[in-house]
């Protein structure tokens, strides 16, 4: 039995779609959601809904019972980045307690020197989660996902035609944008195929581009 967390979010819901496209029987897929009221489309697909929250350890112990392979979609807590680390550690600890055999974790791509970057806090949270997961003794696969191409509009802003200014990536700063949908497909592939135990994959585009030219 597979369980996907963040299943009412954009990545988790896409990952479930790809699992179904790969002909996984819906009865073999569970979804961790905070609010079952938001999970109507998943219920209609025959996915088993488990209510749980990364902040509520016992809810995850209950939800993860009988799960072999867990797709742990990283938290989007917006209050403090440290909260995300606590969420991920709670989920990994709960999975360990109930004997989950393999965790696939959505991390973030990083490069040397990230400690000085504007997104160092996000990177450190993922790094700490990766270490905790490796130390847990559970089989893991770490997906160091590239930056979502779907976020370009949010970064560039909807006034760019007037302001003619792009603040991120600025100047000659480059990013290797990759579609969230394709990252979700890769995650689904890892969930249903063998050979990924204790591996880390960096999933980015083949080219990095800036917005200067
Ligand atoms: N690579 C990138 O460029 C990039 C960009 C942005 C974010 N990310 C990371 O990738 C993750 C997935 O992306 P996304 O686009 O799917 O984000 P998203 O649409 O915001 O989904 C995040 C999911 O996490 C769930 N969640 C948040 N806090 C939770 C908690 N305390 N307990 C249980 N579930 C919780 C949310 O639940 P609800 O549905 O109930 O809100 C939602 O389903 C994000 O959470 C973030 O960590 C990566």
């Amino acid at each position: 039995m597979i369980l996907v967390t963040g299943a009412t979010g954009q990545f988790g819901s896409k990952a479930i779609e790809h699992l179904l496209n790969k002909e996984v029987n819906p009865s073999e897929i569970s979804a961790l959601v905070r609010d079952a009221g938001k999970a109507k489309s998943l219920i209609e697909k025959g996915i088993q809904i488990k209510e749980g929250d990364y902040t509520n350890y016992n809810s995850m112990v209950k939800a993860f019972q009988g799960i072999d392979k867990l797709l742990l979609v990283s938290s989007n807590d917006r209050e403090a980045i440290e909260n995300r680390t606590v969420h991920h550690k709670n989920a990994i600890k709960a999975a360990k307690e109930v004997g989950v055999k393999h965790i696939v974790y959505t991390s973030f791509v990083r490069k040397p020197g990230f400690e000085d970057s504007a997104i160092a806090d996000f990177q450190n949270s993922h790094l700490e989660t990766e270490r905790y997961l490796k130390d847990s003794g559970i089989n893991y696969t770490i997906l160091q996902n590239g930056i979502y191409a779907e976020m370009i509009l949010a970064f560039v802003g909807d006034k760019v035609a007037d302001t003619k200014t792009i603040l991120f990536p600025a100047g000659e700063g480059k990013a290797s944008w990759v579609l969230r949908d394709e990252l979700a497909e890769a995650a689904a592939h890892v969930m249903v195929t063998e050979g990924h135990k204790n591996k880390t994959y960096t999933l980015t585009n083949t080219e990095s581009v800036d917005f200067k030219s």
Side-chain angles (χ1 to χ4, degrees), residues 10 23 101 169 184 191 193 207:
Q10 299 165 92
E23 305 197 340
K101 296 184 184 72
M191 291 297 284
T193 54
E207 259 183 75

Side-chain angles (χ1 to χ4, degrees), residues 16-40:
I16 289 176
E17 267 178 50
H18 285 294
L19 287 169
L20 295 171
N21 291 343
K22 291 176 189 303
E23 305 197 340
V24 179
N25 194 308
S27 65
E28 286 296 309
I29 307 173
S30 291
L32 186 86
V33 304
R34 287 195 283 191
D35 175 4
K38 284 171 64 182
K40 196 165 166 275

Side-chain angles (χ1 to χ4, degrees), residues 8-11 34 38 53-54 74-76 146 148 151 180:
T8 44
Q10 299 165 92
F11 187 97
R34 287 195 283 191
K38 284 171 64 182
D53 193 303
Y54 295 149
S74 51
S75 169
N76 69 350
Y148 299 158
M151 295 196 66
R180 174 169 40 213

Side-chain angles (χ1 to χ4, degrees), residues 136-151:
S136 74
I138 304 176
N139 290 314
Y140 65 83
T141 308
I142 292 165
L143 307 176
Q144 291 180 339
N145 287 338
I147 193 157
Y148 299 158
E150 287 88 342
M151 295 196 66

Side-chain angles (χ1 to χ4, degrees), residues 4-206:
V4 177
T5 72
T8 44
Q10 299 165 92
F11 187 97
S13 56
K14 288 275 181 201
I16 289 176
E17 267 178 50
H18 285 294
L19 287 169
L20 295 171
N21 291 343
K22 291 176 189 303
E23 305 197 340
V24 179
N25 194 308
S27 65
E28 286 296 309
I29 307 173
S30 291
L32 186 86
V33 304
R34 287 195 283 191
D35 175 4
K38 284 171 64 182
K40 196 165 166 275
S41 67
L42 294 171
I43 294 166
E44 283 168 1
K45 289 180 179 115
I47 308 296
Q48 301 184 42
I49 304 302
K50 313 262 182 128
E51 274 191 295
D53 193 303
Y54 295 149
T55 61
N56 181 341
Y57 180 76
N58 289 334
S59 73
M60 286 187 290
V61 169
K62 196 168 163 214
F64 296 166
Q65 300 277 352
I67 300 303
D68 302 304
K69 208 163 176 181
L70 173 69
L71 175 56
L72 176 57
V73 175
S74 51
S75 169
N76 69 350
D77 190 282
R78 287 181 170 82
E79 304 249 313
I81 307 304
E82 303 81 59
N83 289 350
R84 299 184 180 197
T85 318
V86 174
H87 291 179
H88 304 152
K89 286 182 175 177
N90 272 345
I92 294 163
K93 193 169 166 219
K96 172 124 179 148
E97 183 171 329
V98 298
V100 171
K101 296 184 184 72
H102 189 156
I103 297 179
V104 178
Y105 171 65
T106 65
S107 186
F108 195 26
V109 68
R110 55 181 177 266
K111 59 182 185 179
F114 73 84
E115 296 86 351
D116 299 322
S117 84
I119 54 170
D121 288 347
F122 293 96
Q123 302 285 22
N124 281 322
S125 171
H126 285 298
L127 184 61
E128 201 174 326
T129 304
E130 288 183 19
R131 284 194 188 124
Y132 189 84
L133 178 54
K134 287 177 179 173
D135 289 348
S136 74
I138 304 176
N139 290 314
Y140 65 83
T141 308
I142 292 165
L143 307 176
Q144 291 180 339
N145 287 338
I147 193 157
Y148 299 158
E150 287 88 342
M151 295 196 66
I152 290 177
L153 198 58
F155 287 134
V156 165
D158 56 7
K159 304 270 185 304
V160 67
D162 301 327
T163 62
K164 307 215 181 320
T165 304
I166 294 174
L167 296 174
F168 179 87
E172 291 176 1
K174 290 187 172 180
S176 58
W177 308 98
V178 57
L179 286 171
R180 174 169 40 213
D181 185 34
E182 292 185 354
L183 293 169
E185 185 176 4
H189 175 80
V190 166
M191 291 297 284
V192 296
T193 54
E194 294 302 319
H196 310 296
K197 279 182 188 158
N198 304 332
K199 293 202 171 151
T200 298
Y201 298 125
T202 301
L203 303 172
T204 64
N205 212 319
T206 48

